[in-house]
Amino acid sequence: MIQPLSAEKFAVELYEAYQLDPQGNNWTYLPYGPFSTQSEFLNWLRLVEDETDPVFFAIINKTMRKAVGVASFLRINPQDGTIEVGHLNFSPLLQKTTEATEAMFLMMKWAFENGYRRRQLRLPPGLLPIYPWVQLR
């Protein structure tokens, strides 16, 4: 399940989930993080939660009923019918799970239902083992 990112609603859950990656490997290819303190993380969430490009979402584990990762739509171009999914940060609780696959499916479904004809996903090669649903041509 995905929900619009809310700092107030998801900061604690996401911070705790990301702490399960003590080496901070999830942040390797992102232009921000890892965050040393929960306060620092909360400040970043507040900064991005109302952005219009990228638009961030929390990915919710249905069983735990907690946020366990984030993803965003970015490079949103309705005129050309293109949209990209990025800023993927799947905590260890989300990696290689059906919730991860479902979140990507729901984002793709939304994009196509809203007139986007092309959805892009860019991942550095080092992240491919974390996202087994990505198939290379």
Side-chain angles (χ1 to χ4, degrees):
M1 175 168 45
I2 59 174
Q3 293 183 13
L5 185 63
S6 163
E8 185 175 322
K9 190 172 183 179
F10 299 120
V12 172
E13 296 170 1
L14 286 169
Y15 187 77
E16 289 174 358
Y18 292 139
Q19 293 310 299
L20 298 174
D21 171 30
Q23 288 77 33
N25 294 328
N26 280 9
W27 306 95
T28 300
Y29 299 102
L30 294 171
Y32 43 81
F35 299 96
S36 311
T37 65
Q38 191 169 337
S39 175
E40 191 178 310
F41 181 64
L42 176 62
N43 289 338
W44 175 79
L45 286 178
R46 286 181 175 148
L47 185 69
V48 301
E49 70 182 337
D50 292 325
E51 291 287 324
T52 57
D53 192 348
V55 177
F56 281 86
F57 296 90
I59 302 172
I60 313 300
N61 176 299
K62 291 182 196 175
T63 305
M64 296 171 49
R65 297 182 182 188
K66 290 185 177 185
V68 292
V70 299
S72 74
F73 284 128
L74 65 152
R75 296 188 178 120
I76 302 166
N77 187 339
Q79 298 81 9
D80 293 333
T82 62
I83 195 167
E84 185 175 325
V85 172
H87 294 277
L88 300 179
N89 194 337
F90 291 7
S91 78
L93 296 172
L94 184 58
Q95 294 171 14
K96 300 180 182 180
T97 67
T98 55
E99 282 92 356
T101 304
E102 180 184 30
M104 294 299 97
F105 168 79
L106 291 171
M107 291 181 82
M108 181 174 19
K109 182 177 184 251
W110 182 92
F112 291 136
E113 286 176 348
N114 285 277
Y116 292 92
R117 299 180 307 276
R118 183 173 177 197
R119 176 186 171 264
Q120 297 175 296
L121 173 67
R122 294 185 193 166
L123 287 175
L127 290 181
L128 293 177
I130 297 173
Y131 306 104
W133 41 264
V134 175
Q135 294 182 1
L136 301 177
R137 293 189 224 176

